[in-house]
Amino acid sequence: MASPSTLLDVAREAGVSPSTVSRILNGTAKVSDEKRLAVMAAIARTGFAPNQMAQGLKKGRSHTIGIVVQDIASPFFDETLRGVDDGLKDTGYASVIVSGHWDAQEEAERIRLLLARKVDGIILLSGRMADEAVLQFAQQRPIVSTGRALKTGHALGFKLDNEYGAWLAMRHLLELGHRRIAFVSGPEDNVDAAERLQGYRRALEEAGLKADPRLIVQGNFHENSGLLAASHLLDSQQQFTAVFAANDLSAYGVRLCLYRKGIRVPDDVSLVGFDDLPGSAYTTPPLTTIRQPLYEMGRIATHSLLRLINGEQVQAAIPPLELVVRETTRRR
């Protein structure tokens, strides 16, 4: 049986020094792309498998990152996790995923669990914890969070402009001539949901219209709440020509209710969601929605966290929200 390849074998194959190979593997080398590619090609040819555990012990690292997700079953987080997974490719890092279930205390417990497992850093996907609690944990390990604005030496947060996204959705409907626009909101204690409600109200106000409280129905970001909200609107005999749902899952529920009642989308009622989940392009008809850069957010959060772990400065920005017009809206 052939002996396993060594770091020296890789160095000889690539025509570089063993220290250069080592620094490229641990992410500290400042070399040309050509040299880095030569080393990676040499690793592939020789079959060299670096002992990540040994490297980590020398540097006090585990080469793992923790990810706190709120709902493992949600397609919203699936898309972000796909970005995280792609961001970890060829880095030597693995991930440990736990769920916070939209509960601040549980999120804190999960972070303590990850810290006990000696993760090198944590990605917190949304959540209910206060910024102060996140910053306190970041004193122990670097943290990158979505859904909040943070920037310190150990913590970074990315926050999208939910109010602007909702305003975009409403402006689209208003420009199509809709005036009686119902809104299916998100959870009352969710910051994103509150900001989307503000965007809904602001767009109406700018159009010289008053928000009718009878057209605003409480939801919870899940399909069943969209179905129940649409049923409530129809049972109360409110007149409306369009529905703006605070997220795509709620819009799916609205669409199902309208279908069961024989109400055609978009011929009778236009419908807009928020998120642009992968399935939204394949609903019947395909859903007009506000696109959140979920995949990009995962990748950028991962790259930013790895830079924080290495003690590097981070300059990163998330792409803006944008309107994706498909087939569930039409001119009034």
Side-chain angles (χ1 to χ4, degrees):
M1 183 181 294
S3 300
S5 299
T6 66
L7 186 142
L8 185 59
D9 295 328
V10 174
R12 288 171 177 163
E13 181 74 16
V16 299
S17 68
S19 63
T20 297
V21 176
S22 178
R23 286 184 291 112
I24 287 175
L25 287 173
N26 64 33
T28 61
K30 294 182 179 179
V31 298
S32 66
D33 290 342
E34 182 180 358
K35 186 170 290 187
R36 191 184 302 276
L37 289 172
V39 168
M40 300 311 293
I43 289 172
R45 288 195 298 270
T46 60
F48 174 65
N51 188 332
Q52 296 288 358
M53 183 62 73
Q55 291 178 5
L57 289 173
K58 289 180 181 179
K59 299 178 65 177
R61 293 185 183 176
S62 65
H63 280 93
T64 58
I65 67 167
I67 304 171
V68 182
V69 63
Q70 300 305 319
D71 184 355
I72 292 174
S74 169
F76 177 91
F77 291 107
D78 277 351
E79 191 68 3
T80 310
L81 286 173
R82 189 170 69 86
V84 171
D85 189 55
D86 282 354
L88 289 176
K89 283 181 180 177
D90 302 322
T91 66
Y93 273 83
S95 61
V96 178
I97 302 174
V98 296
S99 181
H101 297 113
W102 293 110
D103 181 271
Q105 184 175 347
E106 191 167 349
E107 289 166 28
E109 290 174 355
R110 293 297 179 266
I111 289 179
R112 292 188 189 99
L113 172 66
L114 292 170
L115 293 174
R117 287 178 170 267
K118 306 297 183 184
V119 298
D120 295 333
I122 293 171
I123 295 176
L124 176 61
L125 299 179
S126 299
R128 298 285 173 80
M129 276 202 314
D131 289 354
E132 294 76 13
V134 175
L135 292 173
Q136 188 172 1
F137 280 123
Q139 296 302 312
Q140 301 178 62
R141 290 289 189 277
I143 293 180
V144 173
S145 177
T146 62
R148 64 184 79 228
L150 297 173
K151 189 167 185 181
T152 71
H154 304 284
L156 183 66
F158 296 108
K159 182 164 178 57
L160 295 167
D161 192 342
N162 285 282
E163 182 180 359
Y164 170 71
W167 178 85
L168 271 182
M170 288 294 293
R171 187 183 69 171
H172 172 62
L173 290 171
L174 289 164
E175 288 178 347
L176 290 176
H178 296 279
R179 293 297 179 266
R180 297 284 293 173
I181 304 170
F183 180 62
V184 180
S185 69
E188 287 183 303
D189 58 350
N190 182 278
V191 174
D192 292 350
E195 292 173 349
R196 292 172 197 178
L197 177 57
Q198 290 171 5
Y200 167 83
R201 293 182 183 277
R202 178 163 71 92
L204 289 173
E205 183 179 346
E206 290 179 0
L209 302 171
K210 289 185 178 180
D212 186 342
R214 296 171 299 179
L215 293 180
I216 300 174
V217 186
Q218 186 67 53
N220 64 11
F221 281 164
H222 292 288
E223 296 95 332
N224 67 320
S225 74
L227 188 150
L228 292 173
S231 295
H232 171 78
L233 286 166
L234 295 171
D235 290 344
S236 63
Q237 298 185 338
Q238 295 301 318
Q239 298 298 311
F240 59 94
T241 63
V243 179
F244 171 35
N247 71 336
D248 281 5
L249 293 181
S250 297
Y252 298 168
V254 171
R255 173 71 186 93
L256 178 58
C257 176
L258 296 177
Y259 167 76
R260 287 176 173 174
K261 298 289 187 179
I263 298 172
R264 300 167 300 170
V265 175
D267 302 79
D268 302 320
V269 172
S270 287
L271 177 63
V272 178
F274 196 116
D275 286 337
D276 194 25
L277 298 178
S280 295
Y282 300 96
T283 57
T284 306
L287 182 67
T288 294
T289 185
I290 299 298
R291 181 178 186 273
Q292 292 205 67
L294 302 177
Y295 171 82
E296 294 88 343
M297 204 153 39
R299 278 183 61 92
I300 292 170
T302 303
H303 292 157
S304 298
L305 180 64
L306 295 179
R307 291 181 69 87
L308 286 178
I309 291 171
N310 287 326
E312 301 172 15
Q313 294 291 320
V314 179
Q315 295 291 337
I318 298 294
L321 299 169
E322 60 180 328
L323 174 70
V324 179
V325 179
R326 295 197 179 101
E327 299 170 39
T328 57
T329 52
R330 63 172 294 176
R331 183 163 296 280
R332 176 67 177 152

